[in-house]
Amino acid sequence: MYKEHILNDLENIVGKDYVSNSAEDLYIYSQDPGASLPRPVDFVVMPKKVEEIQEIVRLANKENIPIVPMGGGLTLSGLIIPVKGGIVLDMKRMDQIIEINETSRYALLEAGVTTGALLSHLNDYHPGLEPPIPDAPPSATVAGNVLIHGSGYLSQRYGDHGSLINGLEVVLANGEVCKFGSCALSDYWFGRGPIPDFIGLFTSSFGTMGIITKLSIQLFTKPKMREIVFGLLKDPKDLPELLLKVTETRLAEDVLLGMQDMPEWMKGYIFLMVYITGDSKEDMERQVKILKRIYRKAKARFMKAPQKMINIYMDKPIFAAGAADYRKGGGFEYVGAFIPLEKVPEAYERAAEISRKYGIPPTIGSRLIGGIHTIVMFFSYSFNRADPKDMENAREALHETNQLALELGGIPWKAELDGQKLMLQKMDPNYKKFLKNIKNLLDPNGIMNPGNWEVI
Ligand SMILES: Cc1cc2nc3c(=O)[nH]c(=O)nc-3n(C[C@H](O)[C@H](O)[C@H](O)COP(=O)(O)OP(=O)(O)OC[C@H]3O[C@@H](n4cnc5c(N)ncnc54)[C@H](O)[C@@H]3O)c2cc1C
């Protein structure tokens, strides 16, 4: 009965075709591709307009039903699976690319625009520009990615994707629409200030502070040429010095590192891929020479990367899913963690031990962000989705890795409930109090993705 009248109200808002509470529709929304256990969902709703979202939010307040905003649902860490039931607000119908401003170099998008759609739109109509997007599948939304401090192939040069947000339009938990950034007082969505900057309230808060309906992100000019300078390093302890030297050159567009036991020839090494860009062959050769010299001095071995690898990694975004699911068991999840550079060697060594302890071949990667100020690490665990024990094994490995990241002074990224809990245990009490106060102020009825970042 409770569900029936809410279903009717939701149908009146978005239309019968765009709301469902049937078991077969809800099944897919009760889980994600990661290792989290499924959790129940009451409704899935696919709005088209901002006004519809406002009405849904007012209804949710009246009926005290949780709302969980969802883009592509691809974080792997269960962030879009409701913790306390309620409505999954699937944003995919809000898919308009509203404006590409070639002069001020930004894209103004509705929140359901996918990274794949933006990339192909730019390739077709603005071939000189490229967006900051992750190596996630192309059905990931730009909003979902920037809102979790995602990163991608431009991040070393320009910063993580959260820092590339120019502005947001948000439906707040009271149903009001509020604009943040230059768009609060200008027709141009070119930047966040200079006014008090509240955009950070909505990043990495996992839909607990409001529903983003529009966003502007920075675009960049496409280089004429791109190449990978590949290297192998035996001892992780040599990494910090090597990375400092590489970044001092300011040549790198992206720096990816990794350790994996397969193929066999990579076992025991950390591989390093520095992406360089340029205008001419001579320009590229000059940069390769500089980097080769740095590798040599830092005890890293320059190597011509195997063509197969080049093919995978030059394709931007790379097809990361294929690489991660190497066991073909259909599942993988990683602890992402922002780690201070000085702790990266230890992170590689100890995370590899955790992998081996759980019988999973180590698959560890990292990416430099914004100079060398942040390093995001990926500790990936693959599992067989059809085997509950294997999934449980992966969850335990993830838990231990979250603990490791925190112990090393790092911060788990896009953390699942377990990781959030560990972070809240360690967090400065006054930060927690501030978080709770802000949350209560914005969302007094606790309807926005409750259970996440919950300060008790
Ligand atoms: C194979 C693979 C490779 C990956 N590689 C990368 C990578 O290189 N870099 C990277 O950064 N990530 C990567 N990821 C992680 C993740 O897929 C991406 O970050 C992805 O962009 C998340 O976007 P999404 O649309 O799937 O977000 P979702 O999972 O839908 O949402 C993410 C969070 O944002 C919230 N949210 C979504 N939309 C809104 C909205 N409109 N308003 C308010 N809150 C909202 C959700 O509630 C959730 O908490 C990878 C994932 C996979 C599976």
Side-chain angles (χ1 to χ4, degrees):
M1 186 57 208
Y2 159 82
K3 286 194 181 169
E4 216 43 55
H5 80 269
I6 296 175
L7 180 71
N8 287 342
D9 287 346
L10 289 169
E11 284 175 351
N12 288 336
I13 297 171
V14 293
K16 259 186 175 350
D17 289 344
Y18 300 109
V19 51
S20 174
N21 68 346
S22 73
E24 57 274 28
D25 287 333
L26 298 184
Y27 173 77
I28 196 74
Y29 288 92
S30 68
Q31 53 196 303
D32 80 352
S36 299
L37 290 169
R39 296 189 288 261
V41 183
D42 294 303
F43 304 96
V44 54
V45 183
M46 299 183 80
K48 181 73 185 159
K49 296 189 202 139
V50 177
E51 296 76 16
E52 292 172 1
I53 296 185
Q54 289 181 277
E55 282 191 60
I56 295 165
V57 167
R58 288 188 198 114
L59 175 70
N61 274 303
K62 194 172 104 203
E63 301 288 349
N64 216 359
I65 329 167
I67 301 182
V68 180
M70 169 183 166
L74 283 164
T75 60
L76 302 165
S77 34
L79 296 179
I80 45 69
I81 315 174
V83 181
K84 301 187 178 179
I87 299 168
V88 172
L89 197 71
D90 184 334
M91 300 295 289
K92 287 190 201 68
R93 285 178 70 225
M94 298 188 65
D95 59 356
Q96 296 304 301
I97 295 174
I98 301 163
E99 183 193 355
I100 301 296
N101 187 318
E102 288 224 3
T103 315
S104 292
R105 290 195 189 136
Y106 63 79
L108 175 57
L109 312 167
E110 283 193 318
V113 172
T114 63
T115 55
L118 176 62
L119 195 61
S120 69
H121 180 85
L122 290 175
N123 285 343
D124 288 348
Y125 302 109
H126 307 271
L129 291 176
E130 59 184 0
I133 56 167
D135 286 327
S139 56
T141 59
V142 178
N145 180 251
V146 299
L147 291 176
I148 56 159
H149 288 102
S151 61
Y153 59 100
L154 304 176
S155 297
Q156 153 61 21
R157 201 164 269 173
Y158 302 114
D160 77 71
H161 296 163
S163 66
L164 304 179
I165 302 173
N166 278 348
L168 297 176
E169 179 190 83
V170 184
V171 174
L172 299 172
N174 64 5
E176 281 172 8
V177 179
C178 189
K179 284 181 180 163
F180 295 88
S182 61
C183 58
L185 55 156
S186 162
D187 290 339
Y188 295 90
W189 293 57
F190 60 83
R192 293 161 90 125
I195 52 174
D197 182 2
F198 297 115
I199 285 173
L201 279 178
F202 303 96
T203 50
S204 287
S205 51
F206 308 151
T208 58
M209 299 289 182
I211 299 159
I212 282 62
T213 46
K214 291 189 189 74
L215 71 157
S216 162
I217 55 148
Q218 297 174 9
L219 300 174
F220 302 94
T221 47
K222 225 184 239 175
K224 275 196 194 144
M225 294 179 172
R226 180 179 277 135
E227 196 176 319
I228 299 172
V229 187
F230 189 83
L232 287 175
L233 189 76
K234 192 85 188 150
D235 189 348
K237 291 193 184 59
D238 295 326
L239 261 179
E241 187 58 23
L242 171 63
L243 295 177
L244 284 168
K245 289 283 177 238
V246 168
T247 49
E248 267 168 28
T249 65
R250 294 172 193 265
L251 297 178
E253 179 193 51
D254 191 11
V255 179
L256 280 178
L257 305 161
M259 174 200 266
Q260 53 192 60
D261 280 9
M262 286 182 290
E264 190 62 30
W265 63 267
M266 285 177 101
K267 199 171 178 172
Y269 287 98
I270 291 186
F271 66 82
L272 166 76
M273 292 193 289
V274 178
Y275 288 72
I276 52 169
T277 58
D279 291 333
S280 63
K281 212 167 153 256
E282 295 71 42
D283 186 16
M284 300 297 274
E285 278 168 4
R286 178 187 62 82
Q287 297 182 50
V288 173
K289 239 182 178 170
I290 295 173
L291 288 168
K292 268 184 177 175
R293 209 165 38 231
I294 290 175
Y295 285 12
R296 215 173 24 246
K297 278 195 181 155
K299 296 185 234 156
R301 186 147 58 92
F302 167 77
M303 200 182 136
K304 202 166 161 33
Q307 195 53 44
K308 201 173 152 205
M309 206 164 170
I310 298 267
N311 292 346
I312 294 174
Y313 284 95
M314 281 300 277
D315 209 11
K316 289 296 187 180
I318 55 173
F319 184 54
D325 180 25
Y326 58 88
R327 286 169 67 197
K328 304 299 163 219
F332 85 102
E333 181 172 337
Y334 56 93
V335 167
F338 285 35
I339 300 265
L341 176 62
E342 45 271 70
K343 292 291 182 183
V344 169
E346 196 177 339
Y348 267 95
E349 283 171 344
R350 290 182 57 191
E353 281 165 23
I354 295 176
S355 285
R356 293 189 186 109
K357 174 176 154 191
Y358 286 94
I360 306 171
T363 311
I364 306 172
S366 35
R367 161 176 274 139
L368 268 56
I369 296 180
I372 200 144
H373 299 291
T374 308
I375 297 195
V376 58
M377 297 204 56
F378 322 101
F379 308 101
S380 182
Y381 303 106
S382 65
F383 51 83
N384 179 355
R385 291 199 73 79
D387 180 351
K389 273 207 184 122
D390 207 26
M391 283 179 80
E392 174 63 28
N393 187 50
R395 277 195 295 275
E396 279 172 23
L398 290 163
H399 174 75
E400 214 171 302
T401 314
N402 275 322
Q403 286 177 320
L404 172 67
L406 285 164
E407 190 194 318
L408 294 178
I411 300 180
W413 164 61
K414 67 175 177 62
E416 74 287 53
L417 290 177
D418 174 62
Q420 289 175 38
K421 202 169 134 202
L422 292 172
M423 278 192 272
L424 286 168
Q425 279 164 8
K426 197 181 173 196
M427 196 179 268
D428 166 25
N430 284 340
Y431 193 100
K432 268 203 298 202
K433 196 165 127 196
F434 185 80
L435 183 62
K436 190 175 179 176
N437 288 343
I438 293 276
K439 170 74 181 164
N440 288 344
L441 189 72
L442 283 180
D443 180 18
N445 296 327
I447 58 161
M448 296 303 311
N449 208 358
N452 281 276
W453 286 130
E454 200 163 82
V455 183
I456 319 271

